[in-house]
């Protein structure tokens, strides 16, 4: 089973959304990332980074912004497909 480090997810999210680490550190597992400019385009970029990092493939029908808009949901996707 894959272990998902929240700090690593913070780093990936910060890179994709171009956020300073002080801002990213304030984001908890239920914070809606759309409040930090997560869009359909940045969600694709986030998904590609997650797939590369965790060596997984997420089916297209699950690669929606609604499935990537919180750290909790991202963790669930990683745990399901990695």
């Amino acid at each position: 089973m894959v272990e998902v480090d929240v700090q690593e997810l913070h780093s990936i999210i910060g890179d994709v959304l171009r956020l300073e680490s002080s801002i990213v550190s304030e984001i908890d597992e239920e914070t809606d990332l759309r409040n930090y400019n997560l869009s359909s385009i940045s969600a694709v970029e986030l998904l590609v980074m997650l797939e590369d990092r965790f060596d997984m493939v997420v089916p297209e029908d699950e690669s929606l912004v609604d499935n990537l808009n919180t750290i909790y949901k991202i963790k669930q996707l990683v745990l399901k497909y990695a």
Side-chain angles (χ1 to χ4, degrees):
M1 183 176 199
V2 167
E3 183 139 340
V4 183
D5 179 25
V6 173
Q7 296 297 340
E8 187 172 9
L9 292 181
H10 274 156
S11 176
I12 293 169
I13 290 164
D15 288 347
V16 170
L17 299 180
R18 293 160 185 76
L19 299 172
E20 293 182 24
S21 59
S22 60
I23 294 171
V24 174
S25 65
E26 296 173 1
I27 298 173
D28 66 30
E29 289 199 10
E30 296 299 326
T31 301
D32 191 334
L33 298 174
R34 290 175 286 202
N35 295 334
Y36 294 90
N37 297 319
L38 180 71
S39 65
S40 56
I41 293 170
S42 56
V44 169
E45 185 181 349
L46 175 59
L47 188 60
V48 167
M49 289 183 79
L50 292 168
E51 287 180 331
D52 286 348
R53 166 57 189 91
F54 294 102
D55 192 30
M56 63 181 197
V57 176
V58 176
E60 191 174 327
D61 63 332
E62 291 207 39
S63 61
L64 307 169
V65 174
D66 288 343
N67 292 338
L68 295 163
N69 70 318
T70 68
I71 290 175
Y72 177 80
K73 290 178 183 179
I74 292 168
K75 282 175 55 175
Q76 296 310 304
L77 272 182
V78 170
L79 291 172
K80 185 174 181 179
Y81 292 106

